[in-house]
Structure formats: structure tokens, C-alpha cells
């Protein structure tokens, strides 16, 4: 088993940075509507122009910053997993997000 997991990690090793970014972006797609609903409730009493500006700021800068600064953090978290299991952990994380998307009826 370990020989297979090492082989998977070796194949995917050069893509761990990109996979961290993909994982975080997918996480935001699956659960971003929860954030948007909360922001919508919070901004409901304000004027339309204020709501519109704050929503654009949230989407452009909030999600952008979360993606740019969160992806290295996700990569850092995966570095705590031993190299021989890291590639498999990424694959399992993507399948888990796929299951979450299925449960939330995105697929």
C-alpha cells in the first residue's frame, strides 16, 4: 500500500501548490452561498447602493484575499501529512468536497 501512496505523492508533488488553490476555490464554491446569505441578512437594512458596494467588495476583495492568502495556508496544513500520504490526502480531500457538493445538491 505504501508504495502506491508514495507513487501518487511523487506524481502529484509538483502540483501541490496548485491543488491547494483548487481545493480552496472549490471549498468557496460549495460553501460560499452560506457566507453570502449571512452577508445578505446583515446588509438588509441598508440602502441598495450600500448593499451593492459591500457585496462587490466582499466578492472581489474578500473572496479574492481568502483565495490568495488561504491557499498557502491549506498547502501548509497538508505539509503536516507525511509525504507518502500527502498525494492521497489531496485526492481524498477532493472526493470529500465532491460528496459535500452532492449533499448540498450542487451536482
Amino acid at each position: 500500500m505504501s508504495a502506491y501512496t508514495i507513487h501518487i505523492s511523487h506524481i502529484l508533488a509538483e502540483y501541490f501548490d496548485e491543488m491547494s488553490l483548487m481545493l480552496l476555490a472549490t471549498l468557496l464554491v460549495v460553501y460560499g452561498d452560506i457566507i453570502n446569505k449571512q452577508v445578505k441578512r446583515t446588509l438588509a437594512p441598508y440602502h441598495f447602493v450600500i448593499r451593492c458596494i459591500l457585496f462587490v467588495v466582499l466578492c472581489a476583495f474578500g473572496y479574492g484575499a481568502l483565495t490568495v492568502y488561504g491557499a498557502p495556508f491549506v498547502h501548509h496544513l497538508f505539509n503536516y501529512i507525511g509525504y507518502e500520504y500527502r498525494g492521497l490526502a489531496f485526492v481524498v480531500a477532493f472526493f470529500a468536497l465532491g460528496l459535500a457538493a452532492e449533499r448540498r445538491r450542487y451536482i
Side-chain angles (χ1 to χ4, degrees):
M1 172 88 172
S2 182
Y4 293 117
T5 60
I6 290 173
H7 186 65
I8 292 170
S9 293
H10 183 68
I11 290 171
L12 298 177
E14 64 182 288
Y15 304 108
F16 285 161
D17 288 333
E18 291 83 1
M19 291 173 67
S20 298
L21 180 63
M22 291 173 9
L23 193 64
L24 187 63
T26 306
L27 188 70
L28 285 174
V29 167
V30 173
Y31 292 106
D33 63 326
I34 295 171
I35 298 169
N36 289 343
K37 285 179 188 174
Q38 183 62 37
V39 169
K40 182 179 176 180
R41 269 186 290 216
T42 304
L43 298 178
Y46 297 105
H47 189 271
F48 167 75
V49 175
I50 301 292
R51 288 194 320 254
C52 200
I53 290 170
L54 290 176
F55 183 75
V56 169
V57 167
L58 168 72
C59 290
F61 297 105
Y63 290 143
L66 189 58
T67 303
V68 169
Y69 296 115
F73 178 70
V74 170
H75 183 73
H76 179 72
L77 290 177
F78 274 92
N79 283 338
Y80 284 108
I81 300 170
Y83 177 79
E84 63 270 9
Y85 299 112
R86 199 171 301 155
L88 184 63
F90 271 107
V91 172
V92 168
F94 278 111
F95 274 109
L97 276 175
L99 289 172
E102 178 70 28
R103 293 187 75 196
R104 296 186 47 81
R105 299 187 187 269
Y106 280 107
I107 297 178

